Amino acid sequence: MIVGRMRVHSPKLDSSINGGLSLAVEFDKSAQLTELSLDSESNHALLKGSLPSHFGDPDDGHFSDDGKQEEEEEAEPKGKGRRIWSFHWLWITWSQPFTWIIMLCRELDVSFVFGVMVVYGVSQGVGFATNRVAVDYYWRDVQGEQPSMVQFYRGITWIPWDVKPLYGLLTDLLPVVGYHRRPYFVLSGVVTMVAYLVVILGGKLHVATVLTMFVGGSAAAAFADVTIDAMVATKSRQKPELATHIQSLCSVCSSLGGLTGYLLSGLAVHLLGSQGALGIMLLPGVLLFVLGFVIYEPRLPHHLWYSGKIVKQMLQACSTMFRTLMQKQVWQPTIYMYLSWALCPDISEGKFYWLNDKSVGAGLSEEFVGVLFALGAVGTLLGAWVYHQYMRHWTFRSSLLCVQLLFAASGMLDVVLVTHVNRKLQIPDYVFAVVDEAVSSGTRRIKWLPLLVLAAKICPPGIEGTFFAFLMSVDNMGLLSSSWAGGVLLKVLGVTRSNFRYLWLAFVIRNLMRLLPLLFLHFIPNTNSDVPILPPELLETSDTSDEDASNNEGSDTKVHRDGEGEDIHLIAMQSPKTSNQVE
C-alpha cells in the first residue's frame, strides 16, 4: 500500500535525519562540482568551435605549453568530482535501507521488526507465491484435476480469510497463559508445519484430505496476519510518528517476499517436483513457531486473564459496527466492493494450464512460470507507483471508473495470447506472456488501492481495525465468488487440462463482465480522500462512546507494562491503516 508522509519528532530520529541531511548536502556539493566540470567541457567545446582556423585545434597541440599544463591541471579536479559524486551516490543508495532498518529496530523493538519480516515477508510473501505456483502444479500433476475444479478449490482455501475479524476478537478476548499474541504465533507455526508435512509425505491423498490441509495452512497464515496486525496497531498508536514507517516496512517485506517466493517455487517445482516444492512452506511454519517464543509481549497478571470489561466492550463494538453499516455512506460502498470482484470471473487456472501445455499452449517450463509470476509482482509495484503518483488525488468515482475500464481492456491481452495473434506479430509467447502478466497485475493493484483507501475512510473511530478487517473480508468474499464463477464458466465452456478450444471465449466473456460493476458506480461517493465520508453524528457518537468507555475503566482493568498503566481494550480494533497512511 502507499503510505503518506508524517513529520517525525523523535530525538533519535532527528539525529538520523540530520545525518541524512549532511549526506544530502555533500551529495549536492559533489553534484555541483560535476555540473561545473560538465560546464567547463561545454565551454571548451564552444571555444574549440568558435576559434578561427589559424589558431589551430586545442586538441591538436597548436597551443602553447602553458595551455597544455592548465588543461592537465583542470582534468584532475574534473575526474575527482566524478569519483566523489559516484561514491556518494552508491553510498546513499546502498546504505539507506540498512540505516532505515537499524533505526526501526532501535525505536521500536528488534523482535517486533523480526515479527513483521516473518509474517509479511515469509508467511504471506513467500507463502502466497508458493501457493500460487507449487500448489497449482500439485493439483495438476499429482491429483490430475481439471482447471475448473482447481478454480473451485482455490476459492475454498480462501474462506479462512473471510472471517478475519473473528480471529482478531479471539486474540483480544482469550489470552493463553497470560499472553494475547505469542501463543497464537506458536499455534500458527505448528498448524502450518503439520498441514504441509501431511501433503508432502502422504503421496496421493484423497482430495478432501488435501483440501483440509490447505485450508488449515491458509487459516494459520490468516491467524498470524491478524495477530501481527494487532501488534502493528499497538506500535502505531504508541509511536504515531513512526506509523507510516511501520506500514512501509510491512509493504516492502511483502513485496520482496513475493518476488523471492515466485522465483524459488518455480525452480523448486522443476528440481523437486510439485510435491517436494511444497517443502518451502515448512519455512514459514518454523519461523512462526520460533517467533512465538522470541517476540516481546508483557505478560498479564493472573487476575486479568479473563475480564468481563472486554466482553462488554466487544458488545459495544458490535453495536457501533451495526449502526455504521446502516448508514447509506457505508453500505453502498461495501456492496460495490463485493460486486467489483464478484462480477468479474477469475479464470486464471485455465490460463495456467494453457501456459504449461506443450501442444496448443505456450509450453512454458516450471521455472519460467515462477519467473513470470515474479515479474507480475514487479507489475504490482509499478501499479502502486502509478496510483500514488498520478491518481491518489482523484475522486473515488473517477478513479474507479478509469480503473475498471482499464481492467476490462487489459484483459484483451489474454485473448491475443491464447489465439496466437502475437505470433503473427513476430512476438514469442514467453515475451508476450511476461507483458500480459505485468500489465494484468499492475491494473489489478491500481483497482484495489482506491477501494483500500475508501475502506479506511468509512471506518468509524474506536473500532477502525475490526471494521477494516470486516471490509477486507467482504473484499475476500468477492474474490471467492469470482473464483467460483470462473470455475463454472470454464466448466460450461468445456475447458479442460487438454482442451482449450473455447478458452478465448471465456476470456472475452470475462472482459465484458468486468464492465458490469460500472452499473453500480453511483454507490461510490464522488469525493476524494481528503473529504470525510462518515456523517458527523456518527463520528461524534463514536468518539463519545470511546471516551465513556475509557473513563469507566476501573483500577482492576489496568495492566502495568514497562512501568506504565495501559487500559485493556481490543487491540485489533485500533487500526494503523488510517486514510492518510494508506495514501
Side-chain angles (χ1 to χ4, degrees), residues 169 172-175 180 303-318 545-546 548-559 566-571 573:
L169 293 176
D172 285 329
L173 297 175
L174 188 61
H180 280 283
H303 67 284
L304 293 178
W305 285 12
Y306 306 98
S307 174
K309 298 281 186 178
I310 301 179
V311 177
K312 180 180 179 181
Q313 189 173 6
M314 183 192 68
L315 296 176
Q316 292 177 347
C318 293
S545 61
D546 291 340
D548 293 341
S550 61
N551 291 334
N552 290 334
E553 292 291 333
S555 59
D556 59 332
T557 61
K558 295 287 183 178
V559 182
E566 181 180 346
D567 293 338
I568 292 181
H569 55 286
L570 297 182
I571 299 295
M573 294 184 177

Side-chain angles (χ1 to χ4, degrees), residues 273-291:
S274 57
Q275 207 159 6
L278 289 174
I280 297 176
M281 292 303 300
L282 297 178
L283 178 62
V286 172
L287 290 178
L288 286 173
F289 182 81
V290 173
L291 179 64

Side-chain angles (χ1 to χ4, degrees), residues 319-338:
S319 175
T320 304
M321 287 182 63
F322 180 79
R323 188 168 63 252
T324 303
L325 283 173
M326 292 298 100
Q327 298 293 325
K328 182 180 179 180
Q329 299 93 324
V330 177
W331 66 261
Q332 285 188 341
T334 303
I335 291 177
Y336 182 86
M337 289 178 191
Y338 171 78

Side-chain angles (χ1 to χ4, degrees), residues 252-521:
V252 169
C253 291
S254 179
S255 299
L256 294 179
L259 288 173
T260 305
Y262 283 126
L263 295 175
L264 285 179
S265 56
L267 183 62
V269 170
H270 177 71
L271 297 176
L272 305 174
S274 57
Q275 207 159 6
L278 289 174
I280 297 176
M281 292 303 300
L282 297 178
L283 178 62
V286 172
L287 290 178
L288 286 173
F289 182 81
V290 173
L291 179 64
F293 291 97
V294 301
I295 196 165
Y296 173 74
E297 180 189 6
R299 189 176 186 181
L300 295 173
H302 190 277
H303 67 284
L304 293 178
W305 285 12
Y306 306 98
S307 174
K309 298 281 186 178
I310 301 179
V311 177
K312 180 180 179 181
Q313 189 173 6
M314 183 192 68
L315 296 176
Q316 292 177 347
C318 293
S319 175
T320 304
M321 287 182 63
F322 180 79
R323 188 168 63 252
T324 303
L325 283 173
M326 292 298 100
Q327 298 293 325
K328 182 180 179 180
Q329 299 93 324
V330 177
W331 66 261
Q332 285 188 341
T334 303
I335 291 177
Y336 182 86
M337 289 178 191
Y338 171 78
L339 294 177
S340 67
W341 297 111
L343 295 178
C344 307
D346 179 11
I347 53 176
S348 56
E349 293 301 330
K351 181 181 177 181
F352 174 80
Y353 276 67
W354 183 89
L355 288 173
N356 288 274
D357 187 79
K358 298 185 182 301
S359 57
V360 297
L364 302 181
S365 62
E366 292 88 350
E367 62 268 29
F368 188 81
V369 170
V371 173
L372 176 67
F373 290 147
L375 295 176
V378 175
T380 63
L381 296 177
L382 294 177
W385 177 82
V386 168
Y387 175 79
H388 181 70
Q389 193 74 15
Y390 301 105
M391 301 177 64
R392 63 192 178 100
H393 294 301
W394 291 15
T395 62
F396 291 113
R397 192 175 297 178
S398 299
S399 60
L400 289 174
L401 171 63
C402 295
V403 168
Q404 201 66 37
L405 293 174
L406 180 63
F407 195 44
S410 65
M412 294 306 297
L413 294 176
D414 292 325
V415 179
V416 173
L417 182 62
V418 299
T419 55
H420 299 301
V421 174
N422 58 289
R423 295 181 182 179
K424 298 179 182 179
L425 300 175
Q426 303 300 318
I427 303 176
D429 286 343
Y430 69 91
V431 174
F432 199 84
V434 168
V435 175
D436 181 18
E437 185 66 25
V439 172
S440 300
S441 300
T443 53
R444 183 178 290 270
R445 177 55 60 94
I446 298 175
K447 170 183 167 64
W448 183 67
L449 284 173
L451 297 176
L452 183 65
V453 178
L454 181 60
K457 293 292 293 183
I458 61 178
C459 292
I463 58 168
E464 298 97 329
T466 300
F467 200 83
F468 190 86
F470 165 76
L471 294 176
M472 292 301 99
S473 297
V474 172
D475 225 32
N476 289 328
M477 284 189 285
L479 294 173
L480 171 65
S481 302
S482 173
S483 182
W484 285 355
V488 172
L489 182 60
L490 293 175
K491 185 72 173 179
V492 170
L493 294 178
V495 177
T496 64
R497 56 187 296 119
S498 58
N499 181 16
F500 304 99
R501 182 178 180 182
Y502 294 108
L503 182 60
W504 67 271
L505 182 59
F507 282 125
V508 171
I509 295 174
R510 179 204 64 182
N511 296 338
L512 293 176
M513 293 185 67
R514 284 181 173 181
L515 299 175
L516 293 179
L518 297 179
L519 299 176
F520 304 91
L521 193 61

Side-chain angles (χ1 to χ4, degrees), residues 224-235:
D225 174 71
V226 170
T227 307
I228 198 64
D229 278 348
M231 302 190 76
V232 166
T234 303
K235 290 292 185 181

